[in-house]
Amino acid sequence: MKKLIIANWKMNPKSFKEAEKLVLAISKTKATQHVVICPPFVYLSLLKTKLELGAQDMFWQNNGAFTGQVSAEMLKQFKVKYAIIGHSERRALGETDNEVNLKVKAALANKITPVLCVGYGLSHDMADEEVMQHLQNQLEAALYAVDPKKVIVAYEPVWAISTGDPYKTKNIENPDHAERICMFVRIKFKVAKVLYGGSSNALNAQSFLERQIDGLLVGGASLKAEEFNQIITIKI
Ligand code: PEP
């Protein structure tokens, strides 16, 4: 079964021209894995590509007086099939578990698959049990009154995001840790898939993908066409 590789471009690249170039380079590659690209909102509607698209966030209301927000109903008109929800960078700006739950429900109501991000801890020293307890709280809130089988979860330890190299922060054991946590989430919450995210790159992707992890949410490395293409052509 193919693994799911989701590119989270965050607030990049700086110009639409670069975004077009990147998407072209990725789409020319014969991927062995299932690929989804999540560009910034403003590029989403403009990119002409056969690649599947996702949004990096969405609002839970369909329309109305909500300045600056973008709804699932709007996104689906631009063939958006996925939405990243509850990313730690949004939680750091104040997004709550309750808001994450409302967004997950709104995505599903509009036939958009939520990629629900959960994660914990600024340090890698934390015991797995403590991480699991925290994730359990996040997931119980985010999945309240939701069919979990329709939800993809991305486990992203906050200490590993954007550090450039997950091995530096939690050495070679990180894939084992990630697999234990992903299996816990899959078994306990019966969600569709559980991905890992946090400084995955062309050098370490295989070590995550060959484990019982359903795919990767890739930030920084998804902005480098050559490196991302190495990830999506991995053979497992
Ligand atoms: C992310 O932000 O979801 C992410 C995984 O970023 P990075 O790969 O850059 O750590």
Side-chain angles (χ1 to χ4, degrees), residues 6 8 38 54-60 72 75 82-91 95-109 112-119 138-139 142 150-154 156 217:
I6 302 184
N8 177 13
C38 301
Q56 295 176 19
D57 185 32
M58 46 155 280
F59 197 53
W60 59 83
L75 291 168
Y82 299 83
I84 296 172
I85 295 175
H87 193 281
S88 62
E89 287 158 9
R90 296 207 55 82
R91 291 179 192 258
E95 187 159 283
T96 66
D97 283 335
N98 181 44
E99 288 168 350
V100 169
N101 174 246
L102 292 172
K103 290 182 179 187
V104 169
K105 284 181 183 153
L108 290 173
I112 288 179
T113 302
V115 180
L116 166 62
C117 297
V118 292
Q138 281 184 335
L139 284 161
K150 296 184 173 156
V151 176
I152 294 171
V153 169
E156 299 206 299
L217 181 54

mmCIF file of all heavy atoms in Angstrom, residues 6 8 38 54-60 72 75 82-91 95-109 112-119 138-139 142 150-154 156 217:
data_model
loop_
_atom_site.group_PDB
_atom_site.id
_atom_site.type_symbol
_atom_site.label_atom_id
_atom_site.label_comp_id
_atom_site.label_asym_id
_atom_site.label_seq_id
_atom_site.Cartn_x
_atom_site.Cartn_y
_atom_site.Cartn_z
ATOM 1 N N ILE A 6 2.472 14.268 2.473
ATOM 2 C CA ILE A 6 1.808 15.573 2.360
ATOM 3 C C ILE A 6 2.843 16.685 2.526
ATOM 4 O O ILE A 6 3.575 16.726 3.521
ATOM 5 C CB ILE A 6 0.697 15.715 3.425
ATOM 6 C CG1 ILE A 6 -0.331 14.574 3.263
ATOM 7 C CG2 ILE A 6 0.011 17.077 3.298
ATOM 8 C CD1 ILE A 6 -1.520 14.662 4.193
ATOM 9 N N ASN A 8 3.677 20.362 3.326
ATOM 10 C CA ASN A 8 3.156 21.568 3.978
ATOM 11 C C ASN A 8 4.118 22.719 3.671
ATOM 12 O O ASN A 8 5.168 22.834 4.294
ATOM 13 C CB ASN A 8 3.058 21.338 5.493
ATOM 14 C CG ASN A 8 2.588 22.583 6.231
ATOM 15 O OD1 ASN A 8 2.112 23.539 5.614
ATOM 16 N ND2 ASN A 8 2.713 22.584 7.554
ATOM 17 N N CYS A 38 0.147 21.112 -0.096
ATOM 18 C CA CYS A 38 -0.624 22.134 0.634
ATOM 19 C C CYS A 38 0.079 23.486 0.513
ATOM 20 O O CYS A 38 0.911 23.852 1.354
ATOM 21 C CB CYS A 38 -0.762 21.746 2.105
ATOM 22 S SG CYS A 38 -1.586 20.175 2.369
ATOM 23 N N GLY A 54 -4.214 20.283 -0.871
ATOM 24 C CA GLY A 54 -4.763 20.432 0.470
ATOM 25 C C GLY A 54 -4.563 21.869 0.924
ATOM 26 O O GLY A 54 -3.705 22.583 0.395
ATOM 27 N N ALA A 55 -5.374 22.292 1.902
ATOM 28 C CA ALA A 55 -5.206 23.620 2.493
ATOM 29 C C ALA A 55 -4.433 23.466 3.800
ATOM 30 O O ALA A 55 -4.366 22.382 4.363
ATOM 31 C CB ALA A 55 -6.569 24.237 2.761
ATOM 32 N N GLN A 56 -3.853 24.561 4.265
ATOM 33 C CA GLN A 56 -3.065 24.506 5.513
ATOM 34 C C GLN A 56 -3.914 24.811 6.743
ATOM 35 O O GLN A 56 -3.442 24.713 7.876
ATOM 36 C CB GLN A 56 -1.918 25.501 5.441
ATOM 37 C CG GLN A 56 -0.915 25.174 4.368
ATOM 38 C CD GLN A 56 0.153 26.235 4.249
ATOM 39 O OE1 GLN A 56 0.359 27.031 5.158
ATOM 40 N NE2 GLN A 56 0.840 26.275 3.124
ATOM 41 N N ASP A 57 -5.147 25.192 6.506
ATOM 42 C CA ASP A 57 -6.074 25.523 7.584
ATOM 43 C C ASP A 57 -7.425 25.764 6.928
ATOM 44 O O ASP A 57 -7.525 25.770 5.685
ATOM 45 C CB ASP A 57 -5.599 26.799 8.320
ATOM 46 C CG ASP A 57 -6.451 27.133 9.537
ATOM 47 O OD1 ASP A 57 -6.974 26.199 10.182
ATOM 48 O OD2 ASP A 57 -6.600 28.331 9.846
ATOM 49 N N MET A 58 -8.458 25.996 7.688
ATOM 50 C CA MET A 58 -9.774 26.402 7.172
ATOM 51 C C MET A 58 -10.606 26.839 8.363
ATOM 52 O O MET A 58 -10.281 26.496 9.505
ATOM 53 C CB MET A 58 -10.454 25.261 6.426
ATOM 54 C CG MET A 58 -10.387 23.930 7.153
ATOM 55 S SD MET A 58 -11.684 22.793 6.722
ATOM 56 C CE MET A 58 -13.044 23.414 7.723
ATOM 57 N N PHE A 59 -11.688 27.567 8.067
ATOM 58 C CA PHE A 59 -12.565 28.012 9.152
ATOM 59 C C PHE A 59 -13.771 27.085 9.229
ATOM 60 O O PHE A 59 -14.104 26.408 8.260
ATOM 61 C CB PHE A 59 -12.997 29.465 8.895
ATOM 62 C CG PHE A 59 -13.554 30.138 10.116
ATOM 63 C CD1 PHE A 59 -12.842 30.158 11.307
ATOM 64 C CD2 PHE A 59 -14.794 30.764 10.068
ATOM 65 C CE1 PHE A 59 -13.349 30.784 12.440
ATOM 66 C CE2 PHE A 59 -15.314 31.396 11.204
ATOM 67 C CZ PHE A 59 -14.588 31.401 12.381
ATOM 68 N N TRP A 60 -14.448 27.088 10.360
ATOM 69 C CA TRP A 60 -15.547 26.131 10.535
ATOM 70 C C TRP A 60 -16.897 26.642 10.016
ATOM 71 O O TRP A 60 -17.790 25.847 9.815
ATOM 72 C CB TRP A 60 -15.671 25.689 11.991
ATOM 73 C CG TRP A 60 -15.909 26.799 12.977
ATOM 74 C CD1 TRP A 60 -17.104 27.372 13.294
ATOM 75 C CD2 TRP A 60 -14.922 27.450 13.782
ATOM 76 N NE1 TRP A 60 -16.920 28.344 14.243
ATOM 77 C CE2 TRP A 60 -15.594 28.408 14.574
ATOM 78 C CE3 TRP A 60 -13.538 27.307 13.925
ATOM 79 C CZ2 TRP A 60 -14.925 29.234 15.475
ATOM 80 C CZ3 TRP A 60 -12.884 28.132 14.819
ATOM 81 C CH2 TRP A 60 -13.568 29.073 15.578
ATOM 82 N N ALA A 72 -14.378 25.772 4.246
ATOM 83 C CA ALA A 72 -14.247 24.495 3.520
ATOM 84 C C ALA A 72 -15.071 24.546 2.242
ATOM 85 O O ALA A 72 -14.669 24.007 1.211
ATOM 86 C CB ALA A 72 -14.715 23.358 4.418
ATOM 87 N N LEU A 75 -13.023 26.245 -0.297
ATOM 88 C CA LEU A 75 -11.867 25.444 -0.700
ATOM 89 C C LEU A 75 -12.248 24.323 -1.655
ATOM 90 O O LEU A 75 -11.547 24.046 -2.624
ATOM 91 C CB LEU A 75 -11.182 24.852 0.542
ATOM 92 C CG LEU A 75 -10.475 25.877 1.436
ATOM 93 C CD1 LEU A 75 -10.086 25.234 2.765
ATOM 94 C CD2 LEU A 75 -9.237 26.430 0.733
ATOM 95 N N TYR A 82 -7.973 17.912 0.964
ATOM 96 C CA TYR A 82 -7.455 17.728 2.333
ATOM 97 C C TYR A 82 -7.321 19.092 3.005
ATOM 98 O O TYR A 82 -7.121 20.106 2.328
ATOM 99 C CB TYR A 82 -6.062 17.072 2.300
ATOM 100 C CG TYR A 82 -6.038 15.701 1.675
ATOM 101 C CD1 TYR A 82 -5.973 15.546 0.285
ATOM 102 C CD2 TYR A 82 -6.078 14.547 2.466
ATOM 103 C CE1 TYR A 82 -5.962 14.281 -0.303
ATOM 104 C CE2 TYR A 82 -6.056 13.289 1.883
ATOM 105 C CZ TYR A 82 -6.002 13.164 0.501
ATOM 106 O OH TYR A 82 -5.982 11.911 -0.072
ATOM 107 N N ALA A 83 -7.372 19.108 4.327
ATOM 108 C CA ALA A 83 -7.054 20.347 5.059
ATOM 109 C C ALA A 83 -6.267 19.978 6.314
ATOM 110 O O ALA A 83 -6.700 19.127 7.106
ATOM 111 C CB ALA A 83 -8.312 21.106 5.434
ATOM 112 N N ILE A 84 -5.112 20.603 6.443
ATOM 113 C CA ILE A 84 -4.331 20.448 7.675
ATOM 114 C C ILE A 84 -5.077 21.232 8.753
ATOM 115 O O ILE A 84 -5.453 22.391 8.543
ATOM 116 C CB ILE A 84 -2.907 21.016 7.495
ATOM 117 C CG1 ILE A 84 -2.141 20.225 6.426
ATOM 118 C CG2 ILE A 84 -2.148 21.027 8.816
ATOM 119 C CD1 ILE A 84 -0.792 20.827 6.042
ATOM 120 N N ILE A 85 -5.317 20.596 9.870
ATOM 121 C CA ILE A 85 -6.065 21.259 10.953
ATOM 122 C C ILE A 85 -5.320 21.055 12.273
ATOM 123 O O ILE A 85 -4.856 19.950 12.570
ATOM 124 C CB ILE A 85 -7.511 20.696 11.039
ATOM 125 C CG1 ILE A 85 -8.282 21.057 9.757
ATOM 126 C CG2 ILE A 85 -8.243 21.225 12.270
ATOM 127 C CD1 ILE A 85 -9.663 20.465 9.652
ATOM 128 N N GLY A 86 -5.201 22.139 13.035
ATOM 129 C CA GLY A 86 -4.589 22.038 14.361
ATOM 130 C C GLY A 86 -3.076 21.931 14.340
ATOM 131 O O GLY A 86 -2.474 21.369 15.273
ATOM 132 N N HIS A 87 -2.446 22.468 13.288
ATOM 133 C CA HIS A 87 -0.971 22.440 13.255
ATOM 134 C C HIS A 87 -0.414 23.142 14.490
ATOM 135 O O HIS A 87 -0.991 24.130 14.966
ATOM 136 C CB HIS A 87 -0.474 23.126 11.977
ATOM 137 C CG HIS A 87 0.970 22.885 11.713
ATOM 138 N ND1 HIS A 87 1.964 23.577 12.368
ATOM 139 C CD2 HIS A 87 1.593 21.999 10.885
ATOM 140 C CE1 HIS A 87 3.137 23.130 11.947
ATOM 141 N NE2 HIS A 87 2.942 22.182 11.044
ATOM 142 N N SER A 88 0.710 22.660 14.988
ATOM 143 C CA SER A 88 1.254 23.236 16.235
ATOM 144 C C SER A 88 1.574 24.722 16.075
ATOM 145 O O SER A 88 1.535 25.479 17.056
ATOM 146 C CB SER A 88 2.500 22.472 16.685
ATOM 147 O OG SER A 88 3.510 22.571 15.709
ATOM 148 N N GLU A 89 1.895 25.146 14.836
ATOM 149 C CA GLU A 89 2.187 26.579 14.634
ATOM 150 C C GLU A 89 0.918 27.411 14.756
ATOM 151 O O GLU A 89 0.975 28.596 15.087
ATOM 152 C CB GLU A 89 2.876 26.777 13.266
ATOM 153 C CG GLU A 89 4.314 26.256 13.311
ATOM 154 C CD GLU A 89 4.913 25.905 11.966
ATOM 155 O OE1 GLU A 89 4.301 26.204 10.927
ATOM 156 O OE2 GLU A 89 6.004 25.307 11.955
ATOM 157 N N ARG A 90 -0.231 26.808 14.506
ATOM 158 C CA ARG A 90 -1.501 27.522 14.707
ATOM 159 C C ARG A 90 -1.918 27.434 16.186
ATOM 160 O O ARG A 90 -2.431 28.383 16.758
ATOM 161 C CB ARG A 90 -2.592 26.953 13.814
ATOM 162 C CG ARG A 90 -2.297 27.139 12.326
ATOM 163 C CD ARG A 90 -3.561 27.199 11.529
ATOM 164 N NE ARG A 90 -4.437 28.233 12.035
ATOM 165 C CZ ARG A 90 -4.320 29.536 11.729
ATOM 166 N NH1 ARG A 90 -3.380 29.956 10.917
ATOM 167 N NH2 ARG A 90 -5.168 30.409 12.237
ATOM 168 N N ARG A 91 -1.683 26.276 16.780
ATOM 169 C CA ARG A 91 -2.012 26.145 18.210
ATOM 170 C C ARG A 91 -1.184 27.151 19.015
ATOM 171 O O ARG A 91 -1.654 27.721 19.987
ATOM 172 C CB ARG A 91 -1.757 24.716 18.698
ATOM 173 C CG ARG A 91 -2.734 23.679 18.123
ATOM 174 C CD ARG A 91 -2.398 22.295 18.644
ATOM 175 N NE ARG A 91 -3.085 21.223 17.963
ATOM 176 C CZ ARG A 91 -4.152 20.566 18.425
ATOM 177 N NH1 ARG A 91 -4.680 20.885 19.592
ATOM 178 N NH2 ARG A 91 -4.691 19.578 17.741
ATOM 179 N N GLU A 95 -4.922 28.676 18.812
ATOM 180 C CA GLU A 95 -6.023 27.792 18.390
ATOM 181 C C GLU A 95 -6.288 26.744 19.482
ATOM 182 O O GLU A 95 -5.351 26.104 19.969
ATOM 183 C CB GLU A 95 -5.659 27.109 17.068
ATOM 184 C CG GLU A 95 -6.806 26.311 16.484
ATOM 185 C CD GLU A 95 -6.615 26.079 14.990
ATOM 186 O OE1 GLU A 95 -6.859 27.012 14.203
ATOM 187 O OE2 GLU A 95 -6.190 24.978 14.623
ATOM 188 N N THR A 96 -7.558 26.572 19.825
ATOM 189 C CA THR A 96 -7.895 25.666 20.924
ATOM 190 C C THR A 96 -8.372 24.310 20.406
ATOM 191 O O THR A 96 -8.749 24.176 19.239
ATOM 192 C CB THR A 96 -9.036 26.264 21.780
ATOM 193 O OG1 THR A 96 -10.212 26.317 20.952
ATOM 194 C CG2 THR A 96 -8.701 27.647 22.296
ATOM 195 N N ASP A 97 -8.407 23.327 21.315
ATOM 196 C CA ASP A 97 -8.911 21.996 20.959
ATOM 197 C C ASP A 97 -10.350 22.077 20.464
ATOM 198 O O ASP A 97 -10.751 21.357 19.548
ATOM 199 C CB ASP A 97 -8.860 21.067 22.182
ATOM 200 C CG ASP A 97 -7.451 20.561 22.457
ATOM 201 O OD1 ASP A 97 -6.634 20.517 21.519
ATOM 202 O OD2 ASP A 97 -7.177 20.217 23.623
ATOM 203 N N ASN A 98 -11.139 22.958 21.057
ATOM 204 C CA ASN A 98 -12.542 23.094 20.660
ATOM 205 C C ASN A 98 -12.642 23.634 19.232
ATOM 206 O O ASN A 98 -13.436 23.148 18.412
ATOM 207 C CB ASN A 98 -13.269 24.009 21.652
ATOM 208 C CG ASN A 98 -14.727 24.150 21.293
ATOM 209 O OD1 ASN A 98 -15.397 23.167 20.970
ATOM 210 N ND2 ASN A 98 -15.231 25.385 21.303
ATOM 211 N N GLU A 99 -11.801 24.607 18.906
ATOM 212 C CA GLU A 99 -11.801 25.148 17.532
ATOM 213 C C GLU A 99 -11.338 24.081 16.536
ATOM 214 O O GLU A 99 -11.879 23.976 15.434
ATOM 215 C CB GLU A 99 -10.892 26.383 17.464
ATOM 216 C CG GLU A 99 -11.501 27.580 18.173
ATOM 217 C CD GLU A 99 -10.512 28.726 18.383
ATOM 218 O OE1 GLU A 99 -9.304 28.544 18.155
ATOM 219 O OE2 GLU A 99 -10.974 29.797 18.789
ATOM 220 N N VAL A 100 -10.360 23.304 16.958
ATOM 221 C CA VAL A 100 -9.867 22.224 16.088
ATOM 222 C C VAL A 100 -11.005 21.249 15.809
ATOM 223 O O VAL A 100 -11.233 20.829 14.663
ATOM 224 C CB VAL A 100 -8.659 21.517 16.756
ATOM 225 C CG1 VAL A 100 -8.291 20.240 16.017
ATOM 226 C CG2 VAL A 100 -7.457 22.462 16.813
ATOM 227 N N ASN A 101 -11.776 20.918 16.828
ATOM 228 C CA ASN A 101 -12.913 20.014 16.660
ATOM 229 C C ASN A 101 -13.950 20.592 15.684
ATOM 230 O O ASN A 101 -14.457 19.891 14.804
ATOM 231 C CB ASN A 101 -13.548 19.747 18.044
ATOM 232 C CG ASN A 101 -14.835 18.936 17.960
ATOM 233 O OD1 ASN A 101 -15.913 19.414 18.261
ATOM 234 N ND2 ASN A 101 -14.714 17.691 17.532
ATOM 235 N N LEU A 102 -14.243 21.881 15.804
ATOM 236 C CA LEU A 102 -15.213 22.516 14.893
ATOM 237 C C LEU A 102 -14.699 22.468 13.451
ATOM 238 O O LEU A 102 -15.464 22.233 12.510
ATOM 239 C CB LEU A 102 -15.456 23.977 15.311
ATOM 240 C CG LEU A 102 -16.195 24.180 16.636
ATOM 241 C CD1 LEU A 102 -16.192 25.645 17.034
ATOM 242 C CD2 LEU A 102 -17.631 23.663 16.520
ATOM 243 N N LYS A 103 -13.403 22.661 13.275
ATOM 244 C CA LYS A 103 -12.821 22.635 11.922
ATOM 245 C C LYS A 103 -12.855 21.218 11.343
ATOM 246 O O LYS A 103 -13.147 21.031 10.158
ATOM 247 C CB LYS A 103 -11.374 23.162 11.962
ATOM 248 C CG LYS A 103 -11.302 24.658 12.237
ATOM 249 C CD LYS A 103 -9.867 25.174 12.234
ATOM 250 C CE LYS A 103 -9.847 26.672 12.478
ATOM 251 N NZ LYS A 103 -8.517 27.271 12.340
ATOM 252 N N VAL A 104 -12.548 20.235 12.172
ATOM 253 C CA VAL A 104 -12.589 18.843 11.698
ATOM 254 C C VAL A 104 -14.005 18.510 11.217
ATOM 255 O O VAL A 104 -14.202 17.941 10.134
ATOM 256 C CB VAL A 104 -12.137 17.870 12.819
ATOM 257 C CG1 VAL A 104 -12.429 16.421 12.447
ATOM 258 C CG2 VAL A 104 -10.647 18.040 13.102
ATOM 259 N N LYS A 105 -15.000 18.910 12.006
ATOM 260 C CA LYS A 105 -16.398 18.617 11.627
ATOM 261 C C LYS A 105 -16.784 19.342 10.346
ATOM 262 O O LYS A 105 -17.450 18.777 9.475
ATOM 263 C CB LYS A 105 -17.335 19.045 12.759
ATOM 264 C CG LYS A 105 -17.331 18.102 13.943
ATOM 265 C CD LYS A 105 -18.306 18.642 14.962
ATOM 266 C CE LYS A 105 -18.330 17.830 16.220
ATOM 267 N NZ LYS A 105 -18.732 18.632 17.378
ATOM 268 N N ALA A 106 -16.360 20.598 10.216
ATOM 269 C CA ALA A 106 -16.708 21.375 9.013
ATOM 270 C C ALA A 106 -16.035 20.791 7.777
ATOM 271 O O ALA A 106 -16.634 20.746 6.702
ATOM 272 C CB ALA A 106 -16.302 22.837 9.199
ATOM 273 N N ALA A 107 -14.805 20.335 7.928
ATOM 274 C CA ALA A 107 -14.102 19.717 6.794
ATOM 275 C C ALA A 107 -14.891 18.496 6.332
ATOM 276 O O ALA A 107 -15.213 18.359 5.146
ATOM 277 C CB ALA A 107 -12.682 19.328 7.204
ATOM 278 N N LEU A 108 -15.242 17.621 7.265
ATOM 279 C CA LEU A 108 -15.947 16.389 6.903
ATOM 280 C C LEU A 108 -17.306 16.699 6.284
ATOM 281 O O LEU A 108 -17.722 16.039 5.325
ATOM 282 C CB LEU A 108 -16.098 15.488 8.135
ATOM 283 C CG LEU A 108 -14.788 14.876 8.637
ATOM 284 C CD1 LEU A 108 -14.996 14.147 9.955
ATOM 285 C CD2 LEU A 108 -14.197 13.931 7.589
ATOM 286 N N ALA A 109 -17.993 17.711 6.803
ATOM 287 C CA ALA A 109 -19.310 18.076 6.260
ATOM 288 C C ALA A 109 -19.187 18.522 4.804
ATOM 289 O O ALA A 109 -20.145 18.468 4.044
ATOM 290 C CB ALA A 109 -19.931 19.187 7.108
ATOM 291 N N ILE A 112 -14.059 17.177 2.783
ATOM 292 C CA ILE A 112 -12.612 17.432 2.785
ATOM 293 C C ILE A 112 -12.020 16.568 3.907
ATOM 294 O O ILE A 112 -12.550 16.541 5.020
ATOM 295 C CB ILE A 112 -12.323 18.933 3.029
ATOM 296 C CG1 ILE A 112 -12.719 19.728 1.769
ATOM 297 C CG2 ILE A 112 -10.855 19.171 3.389
ATOM 298 C CD1 ILE A 112 -12.522 21.220 1.880
ATOM 299 N N THR A 113 -10.937 15.854 3.589
ATOM 300 C CA THR A 113 -10.341 14.986 4.613
ATOM 301 C C THR A 113 -9.459 15.799 5.555
ATOM 302 O O THR A 113 -8.489 16.430 5.111
ATOM 303 C CB THR A 113 -9.484 13.879 3.947
ATOM 304 O OG1 THR A 113 -10.318 13.136 3.065
ATOM 305 C CG2 THR A 113 -8.871 12.954 4.981
ATOM 306 N N PRO A 114 -9.780 15.793 6.851
ATOM 307 C CA PRO A 114 -8.935 16.533 7.791
ATOM 308 C C PRO A 114 -7.612 15.800 8.053
ATOM 309 O O PRO A 114 -7.609 14.585 8.249
ATOM 310 C CB PRO A 114 -9.761 16.579 9.084
ATOM 311 C CG PRO A 114 -11.028 15.857 8.814
ATOM 312 C CD PRO A 114 -10.916 15.134 7.514
ATOM 313 N N VAL A 115 -6.535 16.557 8.026
ATOM 314 C CA VAL A 115 -5.229 16.030 8.457
ATOM 315 C C VAL A 115 -4.988 16.688 9.811
ATOM 316 O O VAL A 115 -4.515 17.820 9.908
ATOM 317 C CB VAL A 115 -4.116 16.385 7.451
ATOM 318 C CG1 VAL A 115 -2.773 15.826 7.913
ATOM 319 C CG2 VAL A 115 -4.467 15.877 6.051
ATOM 320 N N LEU A 116 -5.421 15.996 10.827
ATOM 321 C CA LEU A 116 -5.454 16.546 12.179
ATOM 322 C C LEU A 116 -4.072 16.409 12.835
ATOM 323 O O LEU A 116 -3.583 15.300 13.051
ATOM 324 C CB LEU A 116 -6.515 15.770 12.982
ATOM 325 C CG LEU A 116 -6.523 15.926 14.486
ATOM 326 C CD1 LEU A 116 -6.797 17.378 14.895
ATOM 327 C CD2 LEU A 116 -7.569 14.985 15.097
ATOM 328 N N CYS A 117 -3.460 17.542 13.128
ATOM 329 C CA CYS A 117 -2.117 17.507 13.726
ATOM 330 C C CYS A 117 -2.198 17.489 15.248
ATOM 331 O O CYS A 117 -2.911 18.290 15.856
ATOM 332 C CB CYS A 117 -1.315 18.730 13.298
ATOM 333 S SG CYS A 117 -1.021 18.789 11.541
ATOM 334 N N VAL A 118 -1.454 16.562 15.822
ATOM 335 C CA VAL A 118 -1.328 16.513 17.279
ATOM 336 C C VAL A 118 0.150 16.368 17.609
ATOM 337 O O VAL A 118 0.922 15.831 16.810
ATOM 338 C CB VAL A 118 -2.142 15.342 17.902
ATOM 339 C CG1 VAL A 118 -3.628 15.569 17.754
ATOM 340 C CG2 VAL A 118 -1.738 13.997 17.292
ATOM 341 N N GLY A 119 0.514 16.846 18.771
ATOM 342 C CA GLY A 119 1.928 16.741 19.142
ATOM 343 C C GLY A 119 2.134 17.400 20.485
ATOM 344 O O GLY A 119 1.247 18.081 20.999
ATOM 345 N N GLN A 138 -5.736 15.629 23.484
ATOM 346 C CA GLN A 138 -5.936 16.413 22.250
ATOM 347 C C GLN A 138 -6.905 15.692 21.307
ATOM 348 O O GLN A 138 -7.784 16.306 20.707
ATOM 349 C CB GLN A 138 -4.600 16.584 21.512
ATOM 350 C CG GLN A 138 -3.706 17.671 22.092
ATOM 351 C CD GLN A 138 -2.434 17.852 21.252
ATOM 352 O OE1 GLN A 138 -1.986 16.954 20.552
ATOM 353 N NE2 GLN A 138 -1.853 19.028 21.344
ATOM 354 N N LEU A 139 -6.730 14.364 21.188
ATOM 355 C CA LEU A 139 -7.536 13.611 20.217
ATOM 356 C C LEU A 139 -8.972 13.441 20.689
ATOM 357 O O LEU A 139 -9.905 13.502 19.886
ATOM 358 C CB LEU A 139 -6.882 12.250 19.953
ATOM 359 C CG LEU A 139 -5.650 12.350 19.044
ATOM 360 C CD1 LEU A 139 -4.768 11.119 19.153
ATOM 361 C CD2 LEU A 139 -6.067 12.568 17.592
ATOM 362 N N ALA A 142 -10.500 16.770 19.823
ATOM 363 C CA ALA A 142 -10.576 17.055 18.379
ATOM 364 C C ALA A 142 -11.541 16.120 17.666
ATOM 365 O O ALA A 142 -12.142 16.484 16.656
ATOM 366 C CB ALA A 142 -9.191 16.940 17.765
ATOM 367 N N LYS A 150 -12.700 8.643 9.140
ATOM 368 C CA LYS A 150 -12.585 9.602 8.029
ATOM 369 C C LYS A 150 -11.469 10.619 8.253
ATOM 370 O O LYS A 150 -11.314 11.569 7.484
ATOM 371 C CB LYS A 150 -13.921 10.335 7.857
ATOM 372 C CG LYS A 150 -15.036 9.389 7.454
ATOM 373 C CD LYS A 150 -16.309 10.120 7.182
ATOM 374 C CE LYS A 150 -17.342 9.149 6.628
ATOM 375 N NZ LYS A 150 -18.697 9.610 6.859
ATOM 376 N N VAL A 151 -10.725 10.405 9.322
ATOM 377 C CA VAL A 151 -9.730 11.415 9.712
ATOM 378 C C VAL A 151 -8.308 10.847 9.608
ATOM 379 O O VAL A 151 -8.051 9.716 10.012
ATOM 380 C CB VAL A 151 -9.997 11.885 11.168
ATOM 381 C CG1 VAL A 151 -8.931 12.863 11.643
ATOM 382 C CG2 VAL A 151 -11.384 12.514 11.268
ATOM 383 N N ILE A 152 -7.411 11.666 9.052
ATOM 384 C CA ILE A 152 -5.982 11.332 9.057
ATOM 385 C C ILE A 152 -5.344 12.129 10.186
ATOM 386 O O ILE A 152 -5.604 13.331 10.317
ATOM 387 C CB ILE A 152 -5.333 11.714 7.705
ATOM 388 C CG1 ILE A 152 -5.913 10.844 6.592
ATOM 389 C CG2 ILE A 152 -3.811 11.602 7.767
ATOM 390 C CD1 ILE A 152 -5.513 11.282 5.196
ATOM 391 N N VAL A 153 -4.536 11.467 10.982
ATOM 392 C CA VAL A 153 -3.843 12.169 12.078
ATOM 393 C C VAL A 153 -2.369 12.289 11.718
ATOM 394 O O VAL A 153 -1.784 11.369 11.134
ATOM 395 C CB VAL A 153 -4.018 11.410 13.418
ATOM 396 C CG1 VAL A 153 -3.093 11.966 14.499
ATOM 397 C CG2 VAL A 153 -5.471 11.490 13.887
ATOM 398 N N ALA A 154 -1.777 13.433 12.019
ATOM 399 C CA ALA A 154 -0.326 13.581 11.859
ATOM 400 C C ALA A 154 0.264 13.805 13.246
ATOM 401 O O ALA A 154 -0.082 14.790 13.921
ATOM 402 C CB ALA A 154 0.005 14.747 10.942
ATOM 403 N N GLU A 156 3.102 15.065 15.259
ATOM 404 C CA GLU A 156 4.253 15.957 15.054
ATOM 405 C C GLU A 156 4.792 16.431 16.402
ATOM 406 O O GLU A 156 4.256 17.375 16.993
ATOM 407 C CB GLU A 156 3.820 17.173 14.238
ATOM 408 C CG GLU A 156 3.296 16.828 12.872
ATOM 409 C CD GLU A 156 3.481 17.980 11.897
ATOM 410 O OE1 GLU A 156 2.931 19.057 12.143
ATOM 411 O OE2 GLU A 156 4.196 17.790 10.921
ATOM 412 N N LEU A 217 4.182 14.043 6.954
ATOM 413 C CA LEU A 217 3.823 15.443 6.705
ATOM 414 C C LEU A 217 5.172 16.168 6.659
ATOM 415 O O LEU A 217 5.911 16.192 7.646
ATOM 416 C CB LEU A 217 2.935 15.966 7.840
ATOM 417 C CG LEU A 217 2.436 17.405 7.744
ATOM 418 C CD1 LEU A 217 1.732 17.679 6.425
ATOM 419 C CD2 LEU A 217 1.455 17.709 8.883
#
